[in-house]
Amino acid sequence: MENAAVINEKINLATLCLRLCEEIEEHYAGSGYELKPMPKDEAFEKEILIREDIYHVLYAAVCGLIDAFHKSSNEIVVSTYRLGIIIIGLKIAGDDLFDLCAVENDKYSIQRSRLGITVAFLKQEQVEIKPVCGDKGGICFVFPNENSVGV
């Protein structure tokens, strides 16, 4: 991620998905993971504003979640959904997320780990993080409705 472009402006969701997938692929080069970028067509028309620090924390959270929760299959799909990024190919449940970082009555209970801190930071910046149910399994990062993150 050393060559990451500075992001402090509007970017369409599909470009964000592709950039994130490219950097994840670079991080896991030689690991056997098969990454597939799959932005949906409507993502090319949706723009969000994201700060560089939010992007870096998102990247760290995704890599941490892949390390902790990847399935026995090494296929990982990076896609888009509405105003979010979905990572498919992880075996993660809602309890797993709660264990990493829980928020109750505006108080954070954070697992003492880098992953717990990244999840807490994203939640503080109003990025909703939720598991994707079903056969595919994964995690979804939903950006705030006002089409901006960390503004």
Side-chain angles (χ1 to χ4, degrees), residues 87-145:
I87 311 299
I88 302 292
L90 306 176
K91 187 176 182 178
I92 187 165
D95 289 346
D96 295 327
L97 284 175
F98 187 82
D99 290 344
L100 287 171
C101 174
V103 182
E104 292 181 29
N105 298 324
D106 292 332
K107 293 183 181 180
Y108 287 81
S109 176
I110 303 168
Q111 183 184 78
R112 223 173 150 177
S113 69
R114 177 179 233 168
L115 184 54
I117 293 169
T118 60
V119 169
F121 183 83
L122 290 172
K123 285 183 176 186
Q124 179 65 31
E125 293 295 327
Q126 299 175 348
V127 177
E128 185 180 351
I129 305 168
K130 54 188 176 181
V132 175
C133 300
D135 296 337
K136 296 183 179 185
I139 189 119
C140 183
F141 298 88
V142 182
F143 302 120
N145 287 335

Side-chain angles (χ1 to χ4, degrees), residues 5 19 22-23 27 60 68 71 77 80 100 102 108 113 144 148 151:
R19 184 176 293 170
E22 182 179 289
E23 291 189 20
H27 176 77
K71 290 182 178 180
V77 177
T80 58
L100 287 171
Y108 287 81
S113 69
S148 60
V151 180

